[in-house]
């Protein structure tokens, strides 16, 4: 330890190392986060297939009034609802059991299983025109997707250093948008085909992610916090050293290691057991409710409606099929730009709480603008242009704010021993709400149903503003805190508005322990040198 450690004031943080010093950890988290590209691919593909004449020729019906010559009638709306909602249902089911699986097998094993299920689900969908078999494929793919999203985000939260955790967990959004862009480009290239290949090719590209991830996981260490929690401290220390690379020495990794072990041991001492019911006991109840609510606000902001139905939504609002696909690519590129703006903002400007507050305001305004113009100027070029503009702005603001920050916040809100249970359950809740949105949205936007079109934005504008009120009243600022410091703050029942200013003790205790250990080591070395010198003199 350096002399600077001796003069640290109470509550002072460790020096923040650069992304370059942590490049090894960044690369490992990037490999794990590629799991989320599958979610982006599937969302873009499914949103586009429902506007694709070749797909509708197989699963829809001829409709001379529709832009592409084929449409979806009231009877076929069930198929439209189920291809989206069954994937969500599968993800919901897998996320419920995520905690139990991870408790025994760890994060890497869960991701390998997810890769296998994703391959199987994609293969089933490609090889059939039977709607019942397609439903099975969507369900299997959903189970795989649930594990991919849950465990990639948990792993990155547990592996990243505190000051870079938001950046590394936000890689989720980077890969989702990369997948969405690729999905949108591929469906745009195949949308004019009238054979089965028009949808088989886009579905087939979903083989790429599980294959690449399965190979990459061979070189990824298990989560050090999971290993410490299971009592495998030697393996955990080795994993942490591998993750930190150069930053182990530069960032005083020994203090981080001691703090991690002390924090998890203290958590175990206070806990009666480790199981799903513990999420709702003591200080963990507050953490669980905050985690659940944070994930729920992803749906509450209207994102699942835009993600699932944007291309089809544009077609029924008056755009040609070709233009709808082109604008789909454009809005997805806006989303990728938004992700990087959000990462910078969260890291250097506003922190988690501020980013999410700003996001709900802008997202609500985008939805409100679409709805107002659809009400005052229905069927006009103004309404069409407004729809295109504000869908793109919505995608930008969602990815820059709530989409970027929600997973970092949700994963760091909860305790290490219950993280897989709590985050898995929260994501299952999120998928349930997404399923509900996907199932109900066609009733609001389809021309042969309520035919609200863009006026559906009134519902989501109100919902976004309510999410903003929740963030303001209840969400604590967690920027720069280690997971063990967050544990201490919740255990002390610190109010949300005092999190940012409250000093913690666990870092000081870890520093003190390392200093004492170093002092003992220096003392032992001095004693050995003294004995050796005396021996030389006697000789």
């Amino acid at each position: 330890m350096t002399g600077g450690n001796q003069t640290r004031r109470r509550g002072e943080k460790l020096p923040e190392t650069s992304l370059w010093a942590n490049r090894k950890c960044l690369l490992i988290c990037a490999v794990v986060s590629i799991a989320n590209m599958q979610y982006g691919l599937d969302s873009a593909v499914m949103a586009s297939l429902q506007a694709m004449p070749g797909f509708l020729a197989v699963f829809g019906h001829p409709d001379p009034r529709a832009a592409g010559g084929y449409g979806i009638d009231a009877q076929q709306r069930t198929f439209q609802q189920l291809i989206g909602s069954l994937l969500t249902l599968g993800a919901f089911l897998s996320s419920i059991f995520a905690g139990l699986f991870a408790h025994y097998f760890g994060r890497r094993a869960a991701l390998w299983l997810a890769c296998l299920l994703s391959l199987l689900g994609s293969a089933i969908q490609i090889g059939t025109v039977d709607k019942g078999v397609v439903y099975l494929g969507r369900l299997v793919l959903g189970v795989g997707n649930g594990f991919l999203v849950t465990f990639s985000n948990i792993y990155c939260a547990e592996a990243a250093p505190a000051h870079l955790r938001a950046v590394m967990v936000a890689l989720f959004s980077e890969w989702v948008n990369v997948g969405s862009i690729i999905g949108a480009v591929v469906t745009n290239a195949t949308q004019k085909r009238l054979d089965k290949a028009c949808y088989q090719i886009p579905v087939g590209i979903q083989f790429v992610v599980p294959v690449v991830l399965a190979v990459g996981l061979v070189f990824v260490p298990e989560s050090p916090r999971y290993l410490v929690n299971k009592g495998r401290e030697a393996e955990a220390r080795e994993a942490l050293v591998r993750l930190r690379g150069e930053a182990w020495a530069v960032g005083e990794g020994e203090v981080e290691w001691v703090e991690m072990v002390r924090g998890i041991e203290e958590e175990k001492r206070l806990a009666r057991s480790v199981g799903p019911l513990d999420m709702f006991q003591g200080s963990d109840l507050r953490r669980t409710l905050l985690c659940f609510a944070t994930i729920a606000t992803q749906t509450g902001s209207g994102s699942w409606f835009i993600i699932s139905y944007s291309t089809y939504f544009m077609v029924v609002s008056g755009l040609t099929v070709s233009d709808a696909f082109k604008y789909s690519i454009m809005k997805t590129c806006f989303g990728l730009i938004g992700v990087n703006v959000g990462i910078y903002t969260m890291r250097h400007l506003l922190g988690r709480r501020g980013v999410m507050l700003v996001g709900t305001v802008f997202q609500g305004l985008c939805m409100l603008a679409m709805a107002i113009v659809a009400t005052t100027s229905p069927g006009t070029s103004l309404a069409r242009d407004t729809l295109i503009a504000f869908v793109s702005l919505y995608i930008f603001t969602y990815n820059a704010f709530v989409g970027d920050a929600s997973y970092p916040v949700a994963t760091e809100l909860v305790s290490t021993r219950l993280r897989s249970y709590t985050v898995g359950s929260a994501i299952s809740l999120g998928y349930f709400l997404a399923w509900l949105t996907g199932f109900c949205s066609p009733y609001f936007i389809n021309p042969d149903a309520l035919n609200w079109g863009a006026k559906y934005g009134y519902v989501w504008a109100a919902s976004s503003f309510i999410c903003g009120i929740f963030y303001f009243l209840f969400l604590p600022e967690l920027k720069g805190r280690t997971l063990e410091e967050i544990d201490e703050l919740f255990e002390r029942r610190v109010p949300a508005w005092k999190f940012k200013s409250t000093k913690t003790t666990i870092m000081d205790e870890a520093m003190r322990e390392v200093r004492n250990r170093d002092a003992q080591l220096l003392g032992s070395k001095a004693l050995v040198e003294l004995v050796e010198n005396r021996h030389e003199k006697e000789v």
Side-chain angles (χ1 to χ4, degrees):
M1 300 290 287
T2 62
N5 290 335
Q6 305 289 344
T7 59
R8 277 203 177 89
R9 296 185 300 273
R10 181 177 175 81
E12 191 173 350
K13 305 290 184 183
L14 288 172
E16 295 188 356
T17 49
S18 66
L19 269 175
W20 178 251
N22 288 280
R23 61 189 180 277
K24 190 172 182 181
C25 186
L26 181 63
L27 177 61
I28 288 171
C29 287
V31 170
V32 173
S33 291
I34 200 175
N36 300 289
M37 183 176 167
Q38 188 80 341
Y39 164 67
L41 277 172
D42 187 78
S43 298
V45 168
M46 285 299 116
S48 298
L49 290 187
Q50 298 175 66
M52 192 178 287
F55 178 79
L56 295 176
V58 178
F59 298 106
H61 73 286
D63 184 356
R65 297 170 300 173
Y70 294 90
I72 297 173
D73 61 22
Q75 292 180 337
Q76 292 158 339
R77 192 183 301 126
T78 300
F79 177 72
Q80 181 189 28
Q81 293 166 329
L82 288 176
I83 59 172
S85 59
L86 279 173
L87 177 120
T88 307
L89 177 61
F92 168 78
L93 294 173
S94 67
S95 297
I96 286 178
F97 297 104
L100 187 63
F101 186 93
H103 180 71
Y104 292 102
F105 301 106
R107 284 50 167 149
R108 287 203 310 165
L111 288 168
W112 266 317
L113 176 61
C115 291
L116 178 62
L117 292 171
S118 296
L119 289 170
L120 181 60
S122 299
I124 291 172
Q125 292 176 76
I126 289 174
T128 186
V129 294
D130 183 277
K131 291 181 180 179
V133 180
V134 172
Y135 296 155
L136 175 63
R138 298 298 294 162
L139 187 65
V140 172
L141 183 64
V143 173
N145 269 11
F147 266 34
L148 287 174
V149 171
T150 300
F151 290 105
S152 59
N153 286 289
I154 287 176
Y155 182 91
C156 291
E158 293 180 341
H163 64 290
L164 295 175
R165 190 167 55 245
V167 174
M168 294 188 185
V169 179
L171 289 171
F172 162 85
S173 297
E174 291 275 7
W175 281 116
V176 167
N177 279 273
V178 169
S180 296
I181 291 172
I182 293 172
V185 169
V186 172
T187 51
N188 182 60
T190 65
Q191 50 110 351
K192 293 183 179 179
R193 300 181 65 126
L194 295 178
D195 58 356
K196 291 187 291 185
C198 73
Y199 66 86
Q200 289 175 331
I201 293 170
V203 174
I205 62 173
Q206 295 184 62
F207 284 113
V208 174
V209 172
V211 170
V212 172
L213 178 61
V215 174
L217 286 171
V218 174
F219 307 98
V220 170
E222 182 57 271
S223 162
R225 284 182 168 84
Y226 167 77
L227 293 171
V228 170
N229 199 47
K230 301 300 288 185
R232 296 154 61 182
E233 291 193 10
E235 295 175 60
R237 184 182 174 88
E238 181 183 349
L240 186 63
V241 172
R242 283 182 63 190
L243 284 165
R244 294 295 172 265
E246 288 182 10
W248 176 265
V250 176
E252 304 181 43
E254 191 66 36
V255 175
E256 181 185 6
W257 165 251
V258 171
E259 182 191 24
M260 181 189 301
V261 173
R262 288 178 67 97
I264 292 174
E265 286 178 349
E266 178 67 11
E267 192 178 17
K268 285 182 176 180
R269 186 185 67 79
L270 295 172
R272 299 172 186 171
S273 60
V274 179
L277 294 181
D278 290 341
M279 296 188 297
F280 306 103
Q281 296 178 4
S283 62
D284 285 309
L285 173 60
R286 178 188 175 195
R287 305 176 76 167
T288 298
L289 294 176
L290 284 171
C291 179
F292 281 21
T294 300
I295 293 296
T297 57
Q298 294 176 339
T299 302
S301 64
S303 63
W304 276 97
F305 163 60
I306 296 293
I307 290 168
S308 300
Y309 290 102
S310 57
T311 306
Y312 175 74
F313 182 46
M314 288 182 180
V315 171
V316 299
S317 297
L319 271 72
T320 66
V321 173
S322 179
D323 285 345
F325 274 89
K326 291 175 183 176
Y327 286 124
S328 177
I329 297 173
M330 180 190 74
K331 71 175 178 57
T332 309
C333 292
F334 273 120
L336 184 60
I337 295 170
V339 168
N340 291 284
V341 170
I343 289 174
Y344 180 85
T345 304
M346 192 163 37
R347 173 83 175 90
H348 298 287
L349 301 177
L350 295 178
R352 279 78 150 151
R353 186 170 180 267
V355 160
M356 297 184 80
L357 272 169
V358 170
T360 54
V361 173
F362 278 105
Q363 288 157 205
L365 291 174
C366 287
M367 288 291 191
L368 192 60
M370 285 190 293
I372 290 173
V373 174
T375 303
T376 58
S377 306
T380 64
S381 59
L382 173 63
R384 182 197 62 198
D385 294 343
T386 301
L387 175 66
I388 295 168
F390 280 100
V391 165
S392 299
L393 283 173
Y394 177 90
I395 291 292
F396 173 85
T397 54
Y398 174 76
N399 282 280
F401 299 109
V402 173
D404 238 5
S406 53
Y407 274 114
V409 171
T411 51
E412 62 194 6
L413 274 169
V414 297
S415 62
T416 296
R417 70 189 176 89
L418 296 174
R419 184 165 289 113
S420 58
Y421 286 107
T422 312
V423 175
S425 300
I427 291 176
S428 71
L429 172 64
Y431 277 123
F432 170 75
L433 295 173
W435 167 81
L436 194 62
T437 301
F439 194 83
C440 295
S441 291
Y443 288 110
F444 289 91
I445 64 174
N446 277 356
D448 61 344
L450 291 178
N451 196 26
W452 282 16
K455 287 183 284 188
Y456 194 31
Y458 284 124
V459 174
W460 297 114
S463 181
S464 287
F465 295 141
I466 291 171
C467 291
I469 294 171
F470 158 74
Y471 294 146
F472 180 77
L473 294 177
F474 301 108
L475 189 68
E477 178 56 71
L478 305 175
K479 180 182 177 181
R481 298 285 192 181
T482 67
L483 297 178
E484 288 68 37
E485 285 181 300
I486 294 170
D487 289 342
E488 179 183 333
L489 290 168
F490 275 110
E491 193 61 41
R492 288 164 55 183
R493 304 182 188 278
V494 176
W497 59 89
K498 291 185 178 180
F499 258 60
K500 190 173 182 178
S501 59
T502 301
K503 301 295 184 183
T504 58
T505 61
I506 190 166
M507 178 69 75
D508 299 305
E509 292 169 359
M511 289 178 177
R512 193 178 306 116
E513 180 177 329
V514 172
R515 284 199 299 267
N516 291 339
R517 190 185 301 171
D518 287 350
Q520 292 174 2
L521 181 62
L522 289 172
S524 299
K525 287 182 178 179
L527 181 60
V528 170
E529 289 175 0
L530 178 63
V531 171
E532 288 178 348
N533 289 336
R534 286 182 176 178
H535 179 71
E536 288 175 0
K537 288 178 181 180
E538 290 174 359
V539 172

